[in-house]
Amino acid sequence: MDAQRGPGRQQEPRGRTNRRRFLLIAGIPLLAVGAGTAYVVWPGPARPGPQVRTDLEPLNARFGPYVGTLGEAHWLGYDIDEKPGSAESRTIPSPDSRIRLVGVARLAAGGAAAITGRAEYAFAPAAAPAELPAELAPYAPAGAAWQHSGQFDAYANHKGAEGHPSGEYLFDTARDLVRFDLLYLYT
């Protein structure tokens, strides 16, 4: 029998072989459980923040009746209670979801002047408007002459509107733009 093992090979003790076999049999499931646990608890990739949208249908449905049909828009719509860039996402909406709609949109030719020219709204030059989110900054012209009216905001954000909106609309008549920053509260 020693001749079959070849020259220079010594016989391994029986206990060492059994220990290796045991470690192999027990070690593979332990490694699999450890890898599975690490996969489950490892944080996933961070979700990017809100993405700039250009679709018009949701905006026209929400406030088109007040500002007219939009021809072009760059906007964001997101739940302000979610952490931007976080992998955490609320799967069940809270009883009071707060959705922010913010952006810049182009009205039909003469649309901004038609709204700002109505005496009952008493439009006036807007104070320095709040800063837009960084994703939208390229779409807001730097030299815009924004006009604002609290009366128009109250009209467009009336109580019967879906989601109890609040916020403001700013108009630039030279470029036929509307800049909006609205918060919809769903209770």
Side-chain angles (χ1 to χ4, degrees):
M1 187 167 228
D2 284 337
Q4 291 176 345
R5 290 191 182 159
R9 288 191 72 177
Q10 293 183 359
Q11 186 175 6
E12 245 181 66
R14 189 85 173 134
R16 181 174 284 178
T17 304
N18 287 340
R19 186 173 21 172
R20 286 183 182 161
R21 188 175 296 139
F22 170 76
L23 289 174
L24 182 65
I25 292 171
I28 290 175
L30 287 174
L31 286 173
V33 167
T37 302
Y39 176 78
V40 168
V41 298
W42 196 268
R47 287 187 344 203
Q51 299 297 307
V52 174
R53 296 176 61 174
T54 58
D55 50 329
L56 298 173
E57 187 176 320
L59 298 180
N60 282 325
R62 292 223 184 245
F63 51 83
Y66 312 108
V67 300
T69 303
L70 304 175
E72 175 188 355
H74 295 91
W75 60 285
L76 301 173
Y78 59 93
D79 187 336
I80 66 169
D81 295 321
E82 283 191 20
K83 298 174 188 163
S86 169
E88 297 177 28
S89 177
R90 298 185 322 175
T91 56
I92 300 173
S94 70
D96 60 340
S97 294
R98 297 181 302 164
I99 307 298
R100 182 180 184 200
L101 293 181
V102 57
V104 178
R106 185 165 310 282
L107 300 169
I115 294 169
T116 59
R118 296 181 64 181
E120 66 265 25
Y121 297 135
F123 274 90
E131 194 171 313
L132 286 171
E135 299 92 343
L136 294 173
Y139 306 107
W146 298 112
Q147 295 185 44
H148 178 252
S149 165
Q151 291 90 340
F152 181 82
D153 293 345
Y155 163 70
N157 296 330
H158 68 283
K159 291 265 189 214
E162 176 188 351
H164 308 291
S166 63
E168 67 179 10
Y169 299 85
L170 303 173
F171 294 89
D172 177 29
T173 56
R175 295 174 180 89
D176 279 316
L177 293 176
V178 60
R179 178 176 162 169
F180 53 92
D181 193 350
L182 307 170
L183 184 65
Y184 285 83
L185 177 63
Y186 294 92
T187 57

